[in-house]
Amino acid sequence: MEENSKAKSVLRALPSVDALRRACQVEGIGANRLTKLARDIISELRNELLARDDHPADKEFLLAEAATRLHERIAHERRSSLQRGVINATGVVLHTNLGRAPLSAKAIEAVGSAARYCALEFDLEAGARGRRGARVEKLLAELTGAEAALVVNNCAAATLLVLTALARGGEAIISRGELVEIGGDFRIPDVMAQSGVTMIEVGTTNRTRLSDYERAINERTRLILRVHQSNYRIIGFTQTPTLDELATLAHARALPLYEDAGSGALVDLSPHGIKGEPIIGESIASGADVVSFSGDKLLGASQAGIIVGRRELIGIIGKHPLYRALRVDKLTFAALEATLEAYAHDAHFNEIPTLRMIAMRSETLKRRARSLAERIARSELHVEVIPGQSAVGGGAAPTAHLPTALLALRHERLSATEIERRLRLNDPPIIARIADDRVLLDLRTIAPEEENAVLAALEKL
């Protein structure tokens, strides 16, 4: 009886929802949302108090505790919002967890403009209904040398659509060395199974000959599939036919050759240390009938699965019912169009952040790092400029290592883990990495206009 009376006394000390709301003057959050969070916090406190023996029944203490929790909850929600931009200091250019390719200024402007009414499926000259994505498809065809193009919502969708439209109910031949799995448990064999295509594996993990493909062709064969090893490489005792050889074989047997190029690139990036990635125009020139690749990787635009190739086959793919389910919206088309225009005007290395970061020279990065280090005035924070390597990321160019300059941070009182945590919870959040008990900031993925924000965060440590 005494225990029950004590519990009631404690619960009476809990603040009301209205009292908690009045105690938390928070702007930018709706009344309904604030009420819901306040109720959740009070419910949490009630459960905790009932589970404890030492019940603090002080009203002011409980109100202050509830207010603190409410502020923390709101701050957490804001930090978790997609609208909150972050500073990528990891040196991973295409960081999947951070949204992969950052859009160019012109692409961002185009997305904002397209968010209003736009001529998505309206021909302004004819004053009649037009084709969705017509300008993007035209640019893709011109930039790759293909006859036609389509855009769907990601590269896995592109693979599924191509296989379903061109080979469902039949067989597709693929090398065992190309049965890849990339991020998110995306496996080529699983996609082929979903498309209704029977996968015919040929060769071995490390060696596949042209004769292996030739022996596998029969009356049920619908296409030959070539898959780029996006996120790994097989080295050593290896052999695989060239795309030209596969095209010659496929066309002699009246079969289409389909290349899933993964990241894909529209321009040659080998002068900047990225080798072995398919250049889409070269794949088309080598005889590939259909090629698919990503929009948000080496292309440097928004998430999309791009399909280019022969007009006849692209027409078949575009008429398949699955295409409508996988097509993209006006915002994706806007970002793609602005990005492709940069390629068309030969301004891609200047305008597209992904390419600009990849092409950045280590000497330039070293000068920036030294300049930033000299501006850090905190006596307890020790900053050293050291050499390092950036990564392309996003499942692209796994063997490419881009020389860079790193800011290595140590603090007299704070551990590396605590420094990383404080930077991550900063406004704006700064995402760094830890190595050898030091926090490392890579200037390759920090834009020059972000340096002042980084400096301000370091001054707080």
Side-chain angles (χ1 to χ4, degrees), residues 91 93 269 272-274 354 357-360 362 365 388-393 397 399-405 442 444:
V93 177
L269 297 175
H272 307 290
I274 298 179
T354 296
M357 285 187 280
I358 287 173
M360 206 171 290
S362 59
L365 294 167
Q389 292 183 333
S390 308
V392 177
T399 59
H401 302 291
L402 310 176
T404 192
D442 192 330
R444 184 180 297 277

Side-chain angles (χ1 to χ4, degrees), residues 283-302:
S283 295
I284 294 294
S286 295
D289 300 290
V290 178
V291 182
S292 63
F293 57 105
S294 292
D296 60 346
K297 294 187 180 179
L298 294 178
L299 178 65
S302 52

